[in-house]
Amino acid sequence: MCPAPVVTTPSSVEGVLAQLRARGGRVTTARRQLLEALFDSAGHRTAEDLAAEVQRRAPDVHLSTIYRNLDELERLGVIVHAHLGHGPATYHLAKGAHGHFVCEGCGAMVEAPDDMFRGLSRAARTRFGFDIDPHHFAMLGRCRDCR
């Protein structure tokens, strides 16, 4: 598997903002609002979902600002993004990183613990010299109800 970011993910908005300041980053209204939306949500959110929530609080924040901030937060190891099938990328806090199974029939998503991917990761590395990142993609298939 790809190595985890060196940065330890803080457990609060203020902790992330302190981390940003320590690395020379600025604390802006858009950043604070985006972090609050991420910490308040209990799931995977698209950039558009997050932008809509931020714009309810701060209408002048543009979608491009959200994308720039998401990129920076991911670079710092605060969030991860995943491609869960055919839709847009989704984002969630890195402290809850996990793999994903998505049903091609009904769209149901199951969060899978990292240990389910260890064998696949080992096999990919041994056979192909390839390191996979199970947090970044979804394994597509059929759920129990759609089989």
Side-chain angles (χ1 to χ4, degrees):
M1 286 195 291
C2 293
V6 177
V7 178
T8 302
T9 305
S11 59
S12 69
V13 171
E14 291 307 319
V16 174
L17 294 175
Q19 186 181 78
L20 284 167
R21 283 186 201 99
R23 292 174 156 251
R26 293 180 331 140
V27 174
T28 64
T29 300
R31 237 175 229 171
R32 180 180 295 279
Q33 295 294 329
L34 177 58
L35 285 166
E36 288 176 4
L38 284 160
F39 274 90
D40 289 346
S41 68
H44 300 78
R45 313 271 305 276
T46 66
E48 290 78 9
D49 292 339
L50 291 163
E53 186 168 336
V54 167
Q55 289 166 345
R56 278 193 292 277
R57 303 174 192 179
D60 292 340
V61 176
H62 296 278
L63 182 59
S64 61
T65 301
I66 298 298
Y67 274 110
R68 277 194 307 277
N69 279 286
L70 288 169
D71 286 345
E72 178 66 8
L73 292 172
E74 188 165 27
R75 189 183 68 71
L76 290 173
V78 173
I79 63 170
V80 293
H81 82 275
H83 299 275
L84 305 177
H86 302 292
T90 61
Y91 299 84
H92 61 91
L93 295 172
K95 68 182 178 180
H98 49 264
H100 308 89
F101 296 133
V102 175
C103 179
E104 293 177 300
C106 67
M109 184 192 61
V110 176
E111 295 179 355
D114 281 347
D115 63 356
M116 293 196 73
F117 295 95
R118 284 193 189 116
L120 175 62
S121 294
R122 251 189 319 274
R125 176 176 270 187
T126 300
R127 261 183 102 175
F128 305 108
F130 190 82
D131 289 326
I132 65 167
D133 178 1
H135 307 129
H136 188 78
F137 69 93
M139 297 290 290
L140 302 177
R142 297 272 178 187
C143 71
R144 180 177 293 130
D145 295 336
C146 292
R147 281 188 281 174

